[in-house]
Amino acid sequence: MRDTENPQARTIIALNAVTKSFGAVQALKGITANIREGEFFSLLGPSGCGKTTLLRMIAGFDEPTTGTIAIDGKPMAGIAANHRPTNMVFQSYAIFPHLSVADNVGYGLKKRRLPKAEYRREVEQALEMVDLGGYGPRAAHTLSGGQRQRVALARALIMKPKVVLLDEPLSALDKKLRDQMQLELRQLQRSVGITFILVTHDQEEALIMSDRIAVMFDGQIEQLATPEDLYRRPVNQRVASFIGVMNFLGAQVSGSDENQVSLDVQALGRIDIPRAGLPEGMKPEDIHRVGVRPEMMTILIDSATTAERIIEGEVVETSYYGDMTYYAVRLIGLEEPVTISMRNTAGRAVLRPGEIARVGFATDSIILFR
Amino acid sequence: MVVTFSFWTQNYLDLDTTFTLANYREAWTDPLYRELMLRSLRISVVVTVATVVLAFPIAYYVSFHVRNHKALWLFLITVPFWTSYLLRVFLWKVILGYNGVLNSALLGLGLIDEPLSFILYNANAVVITLAHAWAPFAILPIFVALERIDRSLLEAAKDLGDGPVRSFFRVTLPLAMPGVVAATIIVLIPTVGDYITPRLVGGTEGLMISNMIQVQFGKANNAPLGAALAVSSMFIVGGLSLMIFFATRKIGRGGAD
Amino acid sequence: MSNRRNKLNWLNTYAVVYMVFLYAPVVLLPIFAFNSSTIIAFPLSGFTTEWFGVLWTTDALHSAVRNSLLVAVSAATISTVLGLFAARAVARYSFPLERGIMGLIMLPLVLPEIIIAVALLIVLIQLGLSLSLWTVVLGHVLICTPFSIAVLGSAFRGLDPSMEEASFDLGETRWGTFRRVTFPLVLPGVISSLLITFTISLDEFIIAFFLTGTDVTLPVYIWSQMRFPAKLPSIMALGTILLGLTVALLILAEIFRRRSATRRGLDASTTEGLV
C-alpha cells in the first residue's frame, strides 16, 4: 500500500507542538507531525479547523505562537517566506494580472539573474510540465480557471522547492474539471517527486490524492493516517462521520474472555469480536458504539443469497443515483433508519419504500467506538 | 490638524492678549454676528434641503431607470463640478443678473414685462448657486445607497401587494436614508462656510459668516475675533450634523424594528 | 402600465431639465469667450478670438499660471504619496486608533474650506513662517489627501492580498514585491489620484487666497481681475481653456480608473460597489 511504500522516508517537515493564537482565540492547539520527503500529504478538516493557518505558518506568512517548525532539518523560526524552500499555490491562484503567462511563471527566477536563453528554457519546461507549452506570451487574464491553476503550479515548481503548498487549489473549479485536475496533480507530484502539502475540506479529494492525511478539528490533528486506514479504522466518531458515511449503533459489552469480546448491538444483536480486533489502547469496557459503512451491508434481493448474518428491515426511502442506489432502511429494533448503498449491477432490482428488505452483513466489517 | 488648530487658536488668544473669552462673547452676542450666523445657517439649511430634494429624483432615475450608461450619466453629472468654482459662481451672476441670461430670455419670450430683480444679490441667488455647486455631492451618496438596494426587495414588496408608490415609501426611501443623510451632512457643512458665492451673488443681504471671518482676518485686522467666529461656526455646524446623524439613526432603528 | 410610463416620462423630463440646470453656466463660458462685446450679457454681438489673444500678452497671468502649476503639481504629488502610504496601511494592517486617525485625516473633506484656511493661517503665523506658494501647497495637500486616500483605498481594497504573498513566497523582498506587483496593480489608481488632486488644487480658491504671499495662483488672479469689467471677456476665454483642460484630465482619470477596475475585475470578478 502507499503508506508502506517508504515508511522509512526522511522527514522533510517536522512540526513540534505548534500553537497559534489570534488574541484570545487559539486557532492551533499543539500540532505535532512529521511530513515525509516526497509524499502527498493532506490537511483535511472543516473550515475553521486551523488547516490553512498551519499551511501559512509552514509557508512563512505567519509565525507560530509556540512550538517549532523545521524544514529539511532547519528550524524556520525568524525565516520569512521569501527565504523558505517552500512555494505556495494560492486558493485564488494569485496570478499577476499585469504580466504574461511566461513572466508569471518566471517571476521567482528573475532574482537569480539567469542568462536569457536559460531563463526562457526553464519557463518553457515548467509550462510544458503543466501542459501549457506555448502559452508563454499570452496575457494572464485571458486564461481559464483550470489554466490559471496550472500556471500557479508551474510558477511554484520552477523554483524547485522542497515542498509545494496547495491551499484549496481545486475549490474554484467545477466538478468535472476538479476530478480531472485531481488525477493530474497526483501524477505530476509523483513524476517530480516533490513533497506536496494540500489543504482541503473535501474528504473525497483528500482520499483520492493523498499518501497520508491529517484530519483536523478545532485546531488539533484528530487522526493522521493513510486514506485506507482513515476510512477503515477511524479513531473516533467525528473522524468516521467526516470521512464518508457511517451508521452508528449503540452497543454494550455483554461478556469477554481472553479470546474475544461479546457485544450486544442495537438491531444487529450479539456480535463477537476477537480480542486482536480491538484498536490499540481500547479496552472492552470502552466500547459504547459501533459503526457500519453503508457499503458493508447488503440488501439480499434474491432469497437464495445468504450472508454471515441477516437481519430484516423496512425500506423507508430510495435514492437512485444511477450507478448506485442508497436506501434508508428502518431495521427492527431501531428507530433511526440506517443508510445502505447498493451497486446497481445488471439485473439487480431496486426496492421501493415500504418493501421489506433482508439485510446481510459480516461481523468483521464492524468498527468499534468509545 | 484640527487639533493643532484649536490648540493654536487658544494659544493665540492667550498670547496676544491675556486669555479671554471676550472674542467669543462678542461673537455670540453682537447682533451683527448673530444675524450673520443665523442667516448662514438658514441659507445653508435651505440649500441643503433644496439640493437633496432636487438630487434625489436624479439619483433615483440613474439608479433605477438608466440601464446601460450609468457610468456615463455619473460622469456627466460630475463634469460641471470640476470646472472652476469661481467661474461657475460668476456665471450664475451672469445668468441671474438684471440684464442676465434668464431675464433677457424671459423678456424675449414675452413671459415677463420687466426684468426680475428678486433673483440676484440676495439670499435666493446664494441658494440657487450653492444648490448647483453641491449637486454632485448630494447625488452621489444617494445614488450609491440606491444602488445597494437589493432589487428583489422591491419585487417582494410588489409581490406582497404594494403599489409602486407604497413600495417606494415603504422600501426604497427607508433603505436610501443613509445616503440621504450622508448627502445632507456633506452639503450642509461646507455651505455654511462658503465664501465666494455670497460674496459674488449675495449682495449685502446675502452675505454669510465666512465673509465676516475673512473681513476680520483682512481689513478689520482682528484675527482673534475671526478665529472665534470660525470656531463657533464649526461647533454649531458640527453639533447640527451630529444631531441629524443620530436623529436619523434612531428613526431608522425604530422603523426597522 | 400607462401609469408607469407616465412616471418614466416625468422622470425623463426632470432628468433633462436638471442636466440643463447643471450645465447652464458651463455652456455660457465658451459662448461669452468668443463674444466680441466686452459686456457679459445677451444679446451676443459677434464672434471674436481677440480675448484669447489678450491672454498671450498678459504677464501677470503667465506667472499666475506658473505658480498654479507649481502648486498643483507639488500638492498632487505629495498628497498622492501620502495617500499611497495611508491607503496601503489601512488596507493591510489594523492598528490601534485606526478609525480615529483615519477620521482625522478625512476630516478636511467635510470641513468648510474657510475653516481650514483660517486654521492654517493661524498656525503659520504662530510658527513665524512667511506666506508663500509653499504654504498654499501645504493647505492643498491637506484637502487633497482625503481624495487620494479614497481613490487609492478602493484600488488597494480590490487587490487580492495573496498577490503580494505570492510574490513574497516566490523569493521577492518586500520592496521588490511593492515594485513588481503592488505598484503596477495600483498604478491606475495612482494616476487617477494624481489627476484628481491636481485638478482640485488648480481650482482651489479660498485656501490659496488666505495663504498666498505675493505670488498669486490662477484662481486668486481671476478673482482679482473680476473687479474690472473690461477684463471679464478674457477671463471667460481663460475659463474656457481651463474647462477644456479639466474635462480632458477627467476623462483620462476615468479611463485609468476603469482600466484598474477591469484589471481587478478579471481577478476578483466581483468589483461591484466600488464606485
Side-chain angles (χ1 to χ4, degrees), chain C residues 138-273:
Chain C
L138 182 70
H140 283 184
V141 166
L142 205 63
I143 54 162
C144 287
T145 305
F147 285 95
S148 278
I149 293 176
V151 171
L152 292 167
S154 94
F156 272 109
R157 268 194 303 279
L159 187 67
D160 179 359
S162 48
M163 289 288 173
E164 291 181 347
E165 283 178 355
S167 162
F168 202 48
D169 185 60
L170 291 165
E172 250 320 340
T173 56
R174 293 210 176 276
W175 167 242
T177 296
F178 183 80
R179 193 174 52 83
R180 291 178 68 191
V181 175
T182 317
F183 190 72
L185 289 178
V186 296
L187 185 61
V190 170
I191 292 174
S192 81
S193 158
L194 281 175
L195 293 174
I196 287 174
T197 50
F198 179 84
T199 316
I200 292 173
S201 169
L202 200 62
D203 184 39
E204 201 287 327
F205 168 69
I206 298 173
I207 290 175
F209 187 50
F210 268 72
L211 297 186
T212 194
T214 45
D215 298 321
V216 295
T217 63
L218 197 53
V220 179
Y221 172 79
I222 294 176
W223 176 259
S224 68
Q225 297 301 298
M226 276 181 175
R227 273 177 295 171
F228 311 111
K231 305 270 184 159
L232 285 177
S234 58
I235 287 178
M236 292 290 139
L238 180 62
T240 308
I241 295 173
L242 284 180
L243 174 65
L245 285 178
T246 339
V247 170
L249 278 184
L250 278 175
I251 290 174
L252 263 180
E254 178 66 12
I255 288 170
F256 275 105
R257 197 190 64 74
R258 286 211 195 161
R259 192 175 292 175
S260 119
T262 27
R263 256 189 199 177
R264 283 186 267 113
L266 287 162
D267 228 74
S269 81
T270 50
T271 47
E272 276 198 51

Side-chain angles (χ1 to χ4, degrees), chain B residues 5 8 12 15 54 57 61 65 71 76 82-87 90-91 95 101 132 135 189 193 196 199 217 230, chain C residues 8 11-12 14 18 21-23 25 28 42 110 112 114-115 118-119 126 203 205 219 232 236 239 243 246 250 258:
Chain B
F5 156 56
W8 276 107
Y12 189 78
L15 279 173
L54 288 174
Y61 175 76
H65 293 290
L76 287 177
W82 291 106
T83 62
S84 171
Y85 181 48
L86 211 52
L87 286 172
F90 177 78
L91 286 159
I95 294 174
V101 176
H132 175 264
I189 294 176
I196 299 177
R199 180 71 197 281
F217 273 87
Chain C
L8 200 58
L11 260 176
N12 267 327
Y14 180 80
Y18 196 87
F21 167 65
L22 276 186
Y23 275 84
L28 289 177
F42 282 102
V110 290
I114 187 133
I115 304 259
V118 167
Q126 278 304 311
D203 184 39
F205 168 69
L232 285 177
M236 292 290 139
L243 174 65
T246 339
L250 278 175
R258 286 211 195 161

Side-chain angles (χ1 to χ4, degrees), chain A residues 301-318:
Chain A
I301 288 164
D302 185 353
S303 59
T305 38
T306 57
E308 186 195 333
R309 297 279 291 272
I310 295 174
I311 45 179
E312 279 201 350
E314 183 197 344
V315 175
V316 185
E317 208 178 293
T318 304

